[in-house]
Amino acid sequence: MSGTVGRLHVIAGCMSSGKTGELIRLLSRHAVTGDSIVIYKHVVDSRDGRMARSRLGTEMEALVVAEARCIDGETCHVVAIEEGQFFGEELVGVVRRLLRDGHMVYVTGLNQDFRGEPFGVMPTLMALADEVSLLTAICQKCHGVGTRTQRIIDGSPAPWDSPLILVGGADCYEARCPDCHEVPGRPQG
Ligand SMILES: [Zn+2]
C-alpha cells in the first residue's frame, strides 16, 4: 500500500447506535488480510479502560490518549480513533497526515451533541471522508428511529446551556428520535 493516499471512513451516529460494534466489524476484515491495526480512544472515554467494547460483547484493545498529537500510528497500516468528538481541532490535521502517509483511517463519534448541534470536529471529518456510515439507534421513549442523543441530569432533560462534555457527572444519555428529543431553553430562531 506504500505510495498510495490513505482512505478515511467515518462511523457516526447518536448514543447507542452501535458505532463501536460496527468499527470492530470493519476492523475484523483487516485482521483477515493481516493488516496491522491500532485503536486510539480519548482518556475522557475511559468507562471500559483500555478496551474498545461494543454492546454485542465484542472488544479490542485500545491505546488511551489525552490529545490528538499522541496519535501516530506509524507502525500500523490501519488506524482507528474512537469518539472523535472528544478531540480538539488538531485531530483534523492528525487525520490528514495519516492519510498522506497512506494509512487506512477509521473515526467513530457522535455527529451531534446532546443539543442536536454539530459536535466538534466530527462534521469536518465527515466532509473529508471517503465513506461515511451514519448509524441509527432505537428511540428509548417511542421505539422509533433514534438519531439524537438525549442528556438527562437527575432524571430531567439537560438544558441547552449545560456543558458539552460532562466528566463523572450524574448525567446519563439515551437515544431519542427528533420528536422525543428534549432540550429545555433552546434559543428560538
Ligand atoms: Zn421517539
Side-chain angles (χ1 to χ4, degrees), residues 8-121:
L8 172 62
H9 186 162
V10 173
I11 301 130
C14 62
M15 191 64 76
S16 304
S17 60
K19 296 184 291 296
T20 299
E22 177 64 1
L23 174 68
I24 292 174
R25 186 189 74 80
L26 293 166
L27 293 178
S28 68
R29 304 170 312 156
H30 291 282
V32 168
T33 50
D35 291 332
S36 53
I37 299 168
V38 61
I39 305 176
Y40 291 95
K41 60 188 280 189
H42 196 280
V43 68
V44 168
D45 175 34
S46 56
R47 57 197 162 156
D48 292 319
R50 286 174 56 89
M51 305 306 288
R53 187 168 288 149
S54 78
R55 285 178 181 76
L56 293 171
T58 51
E59 61 182 22
M60 292 179 73
E61 191 165 355
L63 297 175
V64 179
V65 291
E67 296 178 59
R69 63 182 174 81
C70 303
I71 297 171
D72 53 55
E74 284 159 13
T75 59
C76 290
H77 173 60
V78 179
V79 180
I81 300 159
E82 278 262 73
E83 306 283 9
Q85 78 279 351
F86 288 144
F87 293 91
E89 283 293 325
E90 62 178 350
L91 182 61
V92 175
V94 168
V95 167
R96 285 191 139 144
R97 173 176 56 76
L98 290 167
L99 294 172
R100 275 198 306 274
D101 291 345
H103 293 277
M104 176 70 220
V105 182
Y106 294 94
V107 180
T108 72
L110 297 167
N111 51 313
Q112 297 179 2
D113 61 28
F114 76 95
R115 305 172 304 178
E117 296 296 308
F119 203 163
V121 296

